[in-house]
Each structure stands twice: as C-alpha cells, then as structure tokens.
Amino acid sequence: MASLNQASYLKMMHWQANIAAECFAQTGQITVIVQDNHPIHTSKQVKEYWCDWQDKGLYLFQLPNYSSPMNLIETLVTSTQDP
C-alpha cells in the first residue's frame, strides 16, 4: 500500500473540492472533512488552499491535539488503577 504524501493529499483534496463545488452549486450544502493534525494536513502549502476550498463549499474541521484528560476512558482507567 502506498503511503500518503503531500502531493497525493493535495491531489485528493482538489478532487474533493471539485465534488464539493458541484454539491454546493446544486444543493447549497457544504461538505465538511474532519481530519487530525498530521503535518500533511496542516502544512503551509496545504493551508494556502483552505480559502479556495471553502469558496467551493469544502470546509475542513481540524480535530484538537490529543489530550488524555479530555478522553473519558483515559480518566476511568486511571481512576481504577491501584496506586
């Protein structure tokens, strides 16, 4: 399986933006992609396209950085462990 690199990510996102633009033009509905904070997702080159993608109706929702205190299961596991 090929790994995702910045060039393939941008190609995929431009493709998604074009699909989102068609959907937005036909229905007025935006498309939202949820992604983590992988360096490819937040690189300077990728960020340059965010406004263009939004103009096409494609919005990106960046998940916050992982924080174990915000994860309920982490709190439960920690509180049930013996000292």
Side-chain angles (χ1 to χ4, degrees), residues 18-72:
N18 289 333
I19 293 171
E22 290 177 22
C23 179
F24 187 65
Q26 292 175 4
T27 67
Q29 294 181 344
I30 64 168
T31 300
V32 178
I33 294 180
V34 178
Q35 56 187 11
D36 61 17
N37 288 295
H38 188 280
I40 289 175
H41 301 159
T42 58
S43 71
K44 182 179 178 181
Q45 184 181 8
V46 169
K47 286 180 179 181
E48 291 174 3
Y49 290 104
W50 285 0
C51 289
D52 293 334
W53 293 338
Q54 285 184 11
D55 290 343
K56 291 183 174 187
L58 177 64
Y59 288 78
L60 302 177
F61 178 83
Q62 299 294 129
L63 292 171
N65 292 331
Y66 179 75
S67 174
S68 56
M70 294 178 65
N71 186 343
L72 180 59

